Amino acid sequence: MKKILITGGAGYIGSHTAVALVNSGYEPVIIDNFSNSEKSALAGLSKICGREVKCYEVDCLDRSGVEKVFLENDFSGVIHFAAFKAVGESTRLPLKYYSNNIDSLLILLGTMSKFGVKDIVFSSSCTVYGQPEILPVKESTPRQPAESPYGNTKKICEDILVDYIKSGADSRIVSLRYFNPVGAHPSGEIGELPLGVPNNLVPFITQTAAGLRVKLTVFGDKYNTPDGTCVRDYIHVMDLADAHVKSLEYLFQQKNNFYDLFNVGTGNGNTVLEVIKTFEKVSGQALNYEIGPRREGDIEKVWADTEKINKVLGWDAKYLLEDSMRDSWNWQLKLGKQ
Ligand SMILES: NC(=O)c1ccc[n+]([C@@H]2O[C@H](COP(=O)([O-])OP(=O)(O)OC[C@H]3O[C@@H](n4cnc5c(N)ncnc54)[C@H](O)[C@@H]3O)[C@@H](O)[C@H]2O)c1
């Protein structure tokens, strides 16, 4: 069985990707420092996979710690999720974000080169597009100046990977630009674990419905969108996880010194109010929400052109928004019981 290293594998997207890897016959090995996750995610993972998933409690900034993991395991590929991701915090603590998100990538690439591991899938984000003029947004659409230090780390990491390949490095690299990951594993054993006040819409919805928050504020309803609220492309985390397996298998077929990048979204945009209505429909819960002022830095609308990933990787989003809302709610109910 091919071993795949997942950095940040105890986190939201990483844990679901571990499941997708196991389902496709790979052996995931996790590195995580639990700075934004809990060990209970590993128990959930074991339950779903029917066996333990190996995890090293190592910080990706600890070069010798990372090297030790490579010494003990013969990896066929790496998926690099480990990063900080809170946009607001990144504007207050930029150095924390630049250091963690960029140094972890540099240390990982150096270690991979030392141990002859060529293939890496990198977690990028649609945030690199800013507000595109033409929608849906294609991979060829020029990136815009980042709105936050977090967004800038994604741009810089993409640039590092491109320069690395330009230098003639032996590596094979895919960057995936995620749109808005939502949902949870249908079993309710793993899901998103926002620490503190959630930045993202769906955890805020489920926490409000569960009574953990008094009400949800919708930031603005005068945008140029069908109902005036912002539009995003909500991609179920299980579909997103699957895109990583497809990316790795694509890399395995390439010649050395290779770089490619893909949007990962559904290809459809939904407004905030549509998401709320869908949640209310599938959960049977009436949500306490109000319309508030716009939030600074919010993009009006963005959704993915998925033609490239559909054609090249043979990947397509299978889950519907209803599924995402049902699975997020199921996960929230499970969390409430812990
Ligand atoms: N969730 C989103 O909305 C979204 C959107 C676009 C891109 N991304 C990117 O996808 C990746 C995964 O996101 P997620 O939502 O699963 O986040 P997450 O916070 O749930 O998972 C990240 C994991 O990495 C770990 N980690 C962070 N720094 C580390 C370090 N130095 N060493 C070891 N472990 C470390 C955390 O403890 C956590 O378990 C990130 O790179 C993120 O920027 C996420």
Side-chain angles (χ1 to χ4, degrees):
M1 247 199 283
K2 282 184 171 161
K3 274 191 188 179
I4 307 297
L5 173 64
I6 313 184
T7 73
Y12 176 41
I13 307 168
S15 57
H16 291 81
T17 302
V19 173
L21 284 168
V22 169
N23 288 343
S24 299
Y26 295 93
E27 184 183 343
V29 175
I30 291 172
I31 287 183
D32 207 298
N33 65 357
F34 300 100
S35 54
N36 197 40
S37 50
E38 286 182 5
K39 291 186 180 148
S40 56
L42 302 176
L45 251 184
S46 308
K47 242 182 165 175
I48 297 168
C49 300
R51 63 183 166 86
E52 227 170 85
V53 174
K54 200 176 193 182
C55 176
Y56 291 86
E57 186 167 354
V58 167
D59 193 314
C60 290
L61 302 184
D62 169 10
R63 190 184 294 271
S64 63
V66 174
E67 284 191 2
K68 195 163 165 278
V69 177
F70 275 75
L71 259 179
E72 288 178 16
N73 297 276
D74 182 13
F75 291 123
S76 299
V78 175
I79 308 179
H80 182 43
F81 293 105
F84 294 142
K85 64 169 182 179
V87 173
E89 187 188 54
S90 80
T91 59
R92 292 192 306 278
L93 300 171
L95 301 189
K96 176 177 169 181
Y97 279 69
Y98 284 115
S99 166
N100 196 41
N101 296 8
I102 296 172
D103 289 349
S104 63
L105 178 67
L106 295 176
I107 287 170
L108 197 57
L109 290 175
T111 311
M112 288 174 66
S113 162
K114 190 165 170 181
F115 286 84
V117 180
K118 295 186 195 315
D119 297 304
I120 177 166
V121 179
F122 172 69
S123 299
S124 189
S125 166
C126 71
T127 186
V128 301
Y129 294 120
Q131 176 60 67
E133 278 169 26
I134 299 171
L135 287 163
V137 65
K138 288 180 185 295
E139 288 84 352
S140 55
T141 300
R143 298 175 309 168
Q144 294 192 22
E147 299 265 354
S148 69
Y150 165 72
N152 211 19
T153 67
K154 293 295 169 192
K155 267 184 92 176
I156 293 169
C157 286
E158 283 191 359
D159 290 343
I160 288 171
L161 294 169
V162 169
D163 285 345
Y164 190 46
I165 291 304
K166 272 191 201 155
S167 76
D170 245 5
S171 293
R172 301 182 292 203
I173 301 173
V174 157
S175 292
L176 294 180
R177 290 179 177 161
Y178 312 156
F179 280 66
N180 287 62
V182 287
H185 191 271
S187 66
E189 295 294 344
I190 53 172
E192 188 170 8
L193 205 98
L195 302 177
V197 182
N199 291 302
N200 295 337
L201 175 63
V202 176
F204 216 109
I205 288 178
T206 58
Q207 289 192 2
T208 306
L212 301 173
R213 316 236 156 246
V214 178
K215 72 176 135 191
L216 169 81
T217 302
V218 176
F219 299 117
D221 67 347
K222 301 282 181 293
Y223 286 102
N224 181 23
T225 61
D227 60 26
T229 62
C230 290
V231 172
R232 297 287 179 274
D233 185 336
Y234 294 95
I235 172 84
H236 195 292
V237 67
M238 293 301 297
D239 277 330
L240 179 55
D242 193 39
H244 292 80
V245 180
K246 290 259 172 22
S247 299
L248 269 181
E249 292 178 340
Y250 172 64
L251 285 177
F252 294 154
Q253 295 161 15
Q254 307 304 323
K255 295 206 175 93
N256 291 345
N257 190 243
F258 178 82
Y259 180 81
D260 209 346
L261 78 92
F262 298 96
N263 285 341
V264 199
T266 63
N268 296 307
N270 285 105
T271 67
V272 175
L273 290 181
E274 282 167 355
V275 175
I276 291 174
K277 296 281 173 264
T278 307
F279 173 80
E280 289 185 324
K281 193 176 96 192
V282 302
S283 69
Q285 305 288 314
L287 201 69
N288 185 20
Y289 70 91
E290 63 175 9
I291 307 292
R294 288 182 181 203
R295 187 170 59 172
E296 207 188 320
D298 269 348
I299 302 297
E300 180 172 85
K301 49 190 164 192
V302 66
W303 65 95
D305 184 317
T306 58
E307 198 186 341
K308 185 176 175 195
I309 191 165
N310 297 156
K311 277 197 180 145
V312 179
L313 297 191
W315 173 94
D316 208 348
K318 295 190 175 66
Y319 290 80
L320 304 173
L321 188 60
E322 280 81 359
D323 302 320
S324 297
M325 294 303 116
R326 182 201 58 226
D327 294 337
S328 295
W329 181 230
N330 189 26
W331 165 243
Q332 181 67 57
L333 292 176
K334 182 111 185 184
L335 274 180
K337 286 191 194 126
Q338 282 175 3

